[in-house]
Amino acid sequence: MARTKKQLNERQVPLFITKKNPKDAFRNIRNYLAGQFVGATRDDALLDEVLKCLFCKLLIERGEADDVDGVTDPFVLSKQLRSTFTIVRSEFTEIYPKDTEILLDPSSLLYVMGQLSFSIMDANTDPIGDAFEVFVGSESKGNSGQFFTPRSVTNLLVKALAPKPHETILDPACGAGGFLSSVCAYLEKQGVVPKDVSINLYGIDKDTYLAQLAKVHVALLTGGHPNIINGDSITFQNGHKNIRKYLPHEGVDVILTNPPFGVRIVSGTPDVLKTFDLAKKWIKNPKTGLLEPSDKVKSNVPPQVLFVERCLSLLKPGGRLGMVLPESILSNKSYRNVVEYLLRHSDIHAVMGMPETLFKTSGKGGTHTKTCLLVATKNGNKATNNGSTVFMAEAKWCGQDSRARVIPHNDLPIIAENYSNYKKNKLKASSNLGFTVDKEKILGGVLCPRYYDPQANEELNGLENTHSLLKFSDLLNEGVLKLTTGDEVGKLAYGTGSIPFIRTSDISNWEIKADPKHGVSTEIYNRLKKKQDVRPGDILMVKDGTYLIGTCAIISEADKEILYQSHLYNIRVNENRYGLDSYLLLAILSSTVVQKQIRSKQFTQDIIDSLGERIKELVLPIPKSKDSRERISNLVKEAVIKRVEARELAKEARECVAI
């Protein structure tokens, strides 16, 4: 029975709809169809059939088709739904050709419709996104650098950009339409009629299936006809057709996107690359000291780099950009030209760091790539000046762990609230979930939030009266410290002898725990020992890795005949006027105030993190009191001696067994 006009206006839910978690329902459907449905076993084929049912459900919710609530006969239900699907075909001809039919058998249809007991038109949820995540997920597209963007992230960026009803909105790497669906929900909450929302929505994806799925996604949420294009945003091609003509000629008002990322993905031919400034090698202008693009084009450029330039080119002057980017783009020296490009062509309003687990799913799926959310406005006559600061935040929790399990923590709503207060000049407290950085203090092309950790700076400032705050680089220049790194011997050298080869995993609790399986020959040791010049009192610190960066150990007399790998620093303390010795330095490097600095300074390099040359930026708090320095040094020395003694006793005990 069709609903009344009053019901439609009030967006009332049909009586047969009860509360159910859509994701759980889709998991049940997937498991059922995988075992029962004859004719298709691939998840994307199963999803196609479920989407047909969702379209029928949409017409029922809109009052344009007979309700199936209470129908228990599978054949009667099947007949009603197939009749409803003829209306779907006629209304959405760009999605379903006239010969398309529902392929599910009557029993499967009865089960599916029984599970779909939730409202598609509820702007607070995204059941189609849930269906895509369950049936297709991120694992099937990971090789091409495409990963499912969590709803909490798309909602945060949409809220940050606050699109208006009349504005044109584009996602040039739309995937299954996650960002566009969040825009739909946002605008519907602003009172915009659902069908009117889709008119100004544009999406592009080079994957034919995903482009079609995005079109279905938005159509189901709005009942309208979005402008979703199957094509390549980098080349502007779909076969031999130029897709640029399908977009607003003057540019769009808002871009929201999570472009594909990966250093191994080929993002364009040489002819395409030469049209991008960010595909060229950038060199420093000797007159201005600024980086500028040269005429030399790189052989391969990651797609996420080109998307930065493409997105800005597609915006109107004054248009707004919300973008997911790998943190490496905003922090690595090798991508400094990208930050320079952003600073010249846009006003950057916010950068929000996300947890490493954001795009990680169970097993081998997803990626540990750390990302940031960028909010900016394209420069131009209509660009607005948002002051001299950038809002930054660093989320620790974002709704799921590394196995994609939902956790009861989500920092993003707090970050969203803090950013809203920042825009109103009402941000008072400063924390990792919301702080400001003066634009003039943005150093070395680094835009990632953790680099400017406010808590690390606050702790340092609190020690000014009792400690000498000395920069690592100054101590190096003065000759107080000496810094070197190790060498790689190759896996074939492992096990060739008894000389310990120390790796990052061998550093723990101030001591070296050499793995005998990685011993090297005397020949290899003699070749490298002069270069490495390991001495008792030297400190080994982990410089590359993930969680171990900053872990330290001190070389004892028993450890001096070793080699160490290139992922470790060797730090030596020379005679100095600060009362600094190796034991005191070990305590300082391991202190909370320095470890927080190390966490903030490390950056992503390929698949691992690194502290790199940023160790020179560390500020070391050396106690001004001679008594304090001596006390700390003696405590560390005593602890180290006892650990070495315990280790040697254990070694002796093991050797005695065979005597």
Side-chain angles (χ1 to χ4, degrees):
M1 183 176 178
R3 290 188 295 163
T4 66
K5 184 176 181 180
K6 181 177 183 294
Q7 286 178 313
L8 288 173
N9 290 338
E10 294 180 355
R11 302 297 300 274
Q12 293 180 0
V13 177
L15 293 177
F16 73 87
I17 292 178
T18 57
K19 287 188 176 181
K20 178 185 277 284
N21 185 328
K23 193 171 288 187
D24 288 341
F26 288 123
R27 288 194 186 101
N28 294 338
I29 291 171
R30 180 188 177 279
N31 293 337
Y32 177 89
L33 294 182
Q36 300 292 326
F37 180 40
V38 178
T41 55
R42 287 172 33 245
D43 279 343
D44 53 358
L46 298 178
L47 177 59
D48 287 342
E49 294 307 305
V50 174
L51 291 174
K52 293 173 185 176
C53 294
L54 286 170
F55 265 106
C56 292
K57 180 174 168 58
L58 173 68
L59 264 62
I60 293 171
E61 285 192 34
R62 283 165 41 179
E64 298 174 12
D66 290 338
D67 199 342
V68 294
D69 182 30
V71 179
T72 58
D73 187 317
F75 294 98
V76 173
L77 175 71
S78 176
K79 184 177 180 180
Q80 284 187 226
L81 289 179
R82 294 178 200 284
S83 175
T84 300
F85 191 68
T86 60
I87 305 174
V88 172
R89 282 200 313 260
S90 64
E91 184 172 345
F92 299 96
T93 56
E94 75 278 18
I95 296 175
Y96 294 116
K98 61 181 179 180
D99 59 346
T100 307
E101 296 289 349
I102 295 176
L103 301 181
L104 293 180
D105 61 84
S107 296
S108 295
L109 281 173
L110 183 65
Y111 181 83
V112 170
M113 294 305 292
Q115 289 292 316
L116 300 182
S117 55
F118 49 79
S119 172
I120 298 177
M121 299 173 72
D122 181 0
N124 292 311
T125 63
D126 179 20
I128 296 84
D130 291 336
F132 168 69
E133 187 176 5
V134 169
F135 280 86
V136 182
S138 59
E139 297 184 27
S140 67
K141 297 299 173 186
N143 291 333
S144 56
Q146 298 170 329
F147 301 98
F148 180 83
T149 310
R151 182 76 167 180
S152 55
V153 171
T154 60
N155 285 346
L156 172 57
L157 272 179
V158 170
K159 187 175 181 180
L161 267 65
K164 299 176 178 60
H166 64 278
E167 291 183 316
T168 50
I169 301 155
L170 166 68
D171 183 348
C174 66
F179 272 108
L180 298 178
S181 69
S182 282
V183 172
C184 293
Y186 178 85
L187 289 176
E188 284 187 50
K189 288 179 180 178
Q190 309 302 311
V192 183
V193 176
K195 275 194 174 183
D196 292 344
V197 171
S198 63
I199 297 172
N200 293 321
L201 293 185
Y202 293 81
I204 305 172
D205 201 277
K206 65 179 181 179
D207 186 295
T208 304
Y209 179 74
L210 287 179
Q212 182 71 357
L213 192 56
K215 190 179 294 184
V216 171
H217 194 165
V218 178
L220 275 168
L221 292 175
T222 65
H225 304 269
N227 307 287
I228 309 295
I229 307 161
N230 175 214
D232 189 336
S233 294
I234 297 299
T235 65
F236 276 142
Q237 294 294 313
N238 179 1
H240 298 291
K241 297 179 180 179
N242 187 333
I243 63 172
R244 184 70 176 84
K245 64 181 181 180
Y246 297 103
L247 301 174
H249 178 72
E250 69 280 7
V252 296
D253 296 293
V254 174
I255 287 181
L256 288 150
T257 191
N258 175 17
F261 47 84
V263 294
R264 295 184 179 89
I265 300 173
V266 178
S267 50
T269 64
D271 286 340
V272 171
L273 292 177
K274 69 182 181 182
T275 65
F276 287 84
D277 281 343
L278 288 180
K280 298 172 182 176
K281 183 178 180 180
W282 284 49
I283 57 177
K284 184 177 288 188
N285 185 318
K287 294 182 179 179
T288 64
L290 299 175
L291 292 174
E292 294 180 356
S294 67
D295 295 330
K296 186 176 180 180
V297 178
K298 296 179 180 179
S299 58
N300 187 34
V301 184
Q304 61 267 28
V305 171
L306 299 184
F307 262 93
V308 169
E309 185 170 342
R310 174 59 77 221
C311 286
L312 287 172
S313 72
L314 291 171
L315 282 170
K316 294 177 180 177
R320 308 188 299 288
L321 173 64
M323 192 175 192
V324 181
L325 281 173
E327 187 187 83
S328 58
I329 294 290
L330 303 176
S331 65
N332 284 19
K333 187 177 180 180
S334 56
Y335 292 122
R336 184 171 178 177
N337 61 320
V338 181
V339 175
E340 290 281 347
Y341 190 91
L342 281 165
L343 291 172
R344 291 178 198 175
H345 295 277
S346 69
D347 293 326
I348 297 174
H349 306 307
V351 185
M352 310 168 196
M354 295 292 106
E356 289 184 2
T357 57
L358 182 64
F359 291 104
K360 184 62 185 170
T361 55
S362 301
K364 296 181 179 179
T367 175
H368 271 300
T369 300
K370 192 173 184 329
T371 57
C372 291
L373 311 184
L374 175 75
V375 178
T377 298
K378 181 177 179 178
N379 282 334
N381 295 330
K382 296 182 181 179
T384 56
N385 183 1
N386 195 47
S388 58
T389 61
V390 176
F391 174 88
M392 290 192 175
E394 185 66 45
K396 183 178 180 181
W397 304 107
C398 189
Q400 65 182 35
D401 62 13
S402 61
R403 295 184 179 180
R405 297 174 300 193
V406 175
I407 55 178
H409 303 289
N410 189 354
D411 291 333
L412 300 195
I414 300 173
I415 292 176
E417 183 180 357
N418 286 338
Y419 181 58
S420 177
N421 288 333
Y422 164 76
K423 290 193 293 184
K424 301 172 186 175
N425 294 317
K426 293 182 179 180
L427 182 64
K428 296 179 181 179
S430 178
S431 73
N432 286 341
L433 300 184
F435 61 96
T436 61
V437 175
D438 291 340
K439 290 182 179 179
E440 61 183 21
K441 292 184 179 179
I442 293 175
L443 305 172
V446 179
L447 273 173
C448 65
R450 61 173 168 170
Y451 184 77
Y452 302 96
D453 181 1
Q455 292 183 349
N457 293 329
E458 287 175 8
E459 287 194 29
L460 274 175
N461 294 335
L463 298 174
E464 286 180 337
N465 295 329
T466 56
H467 293 68
S468 299
L469 304 181
L470 303 177
K471 206 167 184 179
F472 200 103
S473 59
D474 293 337
L475 294 173
L476 286 174
N477 294 334
E478 195 176 329
V480 176
L481 300 179
K482 181 181 178 182
L483 182 69
T484 55
T485 56
D487 303 273
E488 294 303 323
V489 297
K491 289 186 177 180
L492 294 179
Y494 294 170
T496 59
S498 59
I499 306 296
F501 180 68
I502 306 304
R503 304 173 304 148
T504 58
S505 57
D506 299 323
I507 306 295
S508 176
N509 295 324
W510 292 354
E511 62 180 324
I512 294 171
K513 299 180 178 179
D515 187 340
K517 296 192 297 294
H518 297 109
V520 298
S521 66
T522 303
E523 179 185 358
I524 294 174
Y525 172 70
N526 288 334
R527 175 162 50 88
L528 292 171
K529 70 175 182 178
K530 185 176 180 180
K531 175 182 178 294
Q532 295 207 354
D533 185 29
V534 177
R535 302 179 190 178
D538 289 352
I539 295 173
L540 295 183
M541 175 193 276
V542 178
K543 68 183 281 283
D544 303 319
T546 49
Y547 304 106
L548 291 177
I549 292 178
T551 305
C552 298
I554 194 165
I555 304 295
S556 68
E557 281 289 341
D559 300 320
K560 63 182 180 182
E561 196 174 77
I562 62 170
L563 294 177
Y564 63 98
Q565 70 172 161
S566 62
H567 296 308
L568 297 170
Y569 296 114
N570 186 348
I571 307 170
R572 180 172 297 159
V573 181
N574 298 316
E575 289 188 12
N576 60 86
R577 58 192 173 93
Y578 302 106
L580 182 67
D581 62 20
S582 297
Y583 298 109
L584 176 57
L585 179 60
L586 181 60
I588 291 172
L589 291 174
S590 305
S591 66
T592 301
V593 66
V594 174
Q595 286 293 311
K596 281 186 177 180
Q597 291 181 67
I598 290 172
R599 296 280 86 79
S600 69
K601 302 299 181 187
Q602 69 188 58
F603 60 94
T604 303
Q605 191 174 42
D606 294 329
I607 60 174
I608 63 173
D609 281 3
S610 177
L611 183 55
E613 289 293 301
R614 291 184 185 169
I615 188 175
K616 298 176 183 178
E617 300 176 16
L618 298 179
V619 177
L620 306 182
I622 301 176
K624 293 179 180 179
S625 166
K626 181 180 178 181
D627 290 342
S628 293
R629 293 196 301 268
E630 291 179 350
R631 180 173 179 271
I632 295 169
S633 180
N634 289 333
L635 285 172
V636 174
K637 186 176 182 179
E638 183 180 358
V640 169
I641 289 173
K642 288 181 177 179
R643 286 181 178 180
V644 172
E645 288 177 348
R647 187 182 68 192
E648 293 304 309
L649 286 172
K651 180 181 178 182
E652 183 180 348
R654 290 193 299 269
E655 292 173 348
C656 287
V657 172
I659 295 176

